[in-house]
Amino acid sequence: MNRPTIQSRLDRRFIVMTSRESLLSDLDMVAPIGWTRVVATDLAELGDWNDILLHRFVLLDLDEDGTFDPLDVIRTLRMEYQINIPVFCFGGNEDLQDQMRLARADRFFTRDEMLDMLPRFFEQYGWGG
């Protein structure tokens, strides 16, 4: 098994689970230099559970239309992998948000609120690198 280096543990990376290009463009305008956006529509694309731990937080698009099931994502992260990485959700209806809360997603925003909050998250999770 490849072990991560100290530097790879300090790299500032965040996961975005979406397939919407317009959102990714907006994120690129907000993300500060030194942060790497990792896009996925399946947790398996990210590697094993220990690879996911090398990221600072997850942005999860609840308006994703059939590309992935956000409930499956949060259940896999929390129950199967037992990872407590922050998961910030945006979009979705009230019913889905309630289900995501029960599955232990952390915070919920509209798309615009999430974009407004991101600078704070980058600062809060910017330790070390």
Side-chain angles (χ1 to χ4, degrees), residues 94-117:
E94 190 173 322
D95 182 51
L96 178 57
Q97 290 178 0
D98 287 344
Q99 291 177 57
M100 294 293 290
R101 276 186 191 90
L102 290 172
R104 299 189 348 241
D106 294 296
R107 304 270 309 267
F108 299 86
F109 305 97
T110 66
R111 176 184 168 142
D112 290 338
E113 289 171 335
M114 187 264 309
L115 289 169
D116 288 343
M117 288 296 294

Side-chain angles (χ1 to χ4, degrees), residues 3-16:
R3 293 182 179 244
T5 64
I6 291 172
Q7 182 57 51
S8 69
R9 291 178 184 182
L10 294 175
D11 288 344
R12 295 176 176 166
R13 291 179 272 207
F14 65 104
I15 298 166
V16 182

Side-chain angles (χ1 to χ4, degrees), residues 76-92:
T76 299
L77 284 172
R78 299 297 195 235
M79 295 173 162
E80 184 178 335
Y81 295 166
Q82 298 186 4
I83 293 176
N84 201 27
I85 187 172
V87 177
F88 304 121
C89 302
F90 57 95

Side-chain angles (χ1 to χ4, degrees), residues 17 43 58 60 68-78:
M17 294 203 67
L43 286 177
V58 177
L60 187 56
F68 62 87
D69 181 354
L71 277 169
D72 284 344
V73 170
I74 192 69
R75 287 177 181 147
T76 299
L77 284 172
R78 299 297 195 235

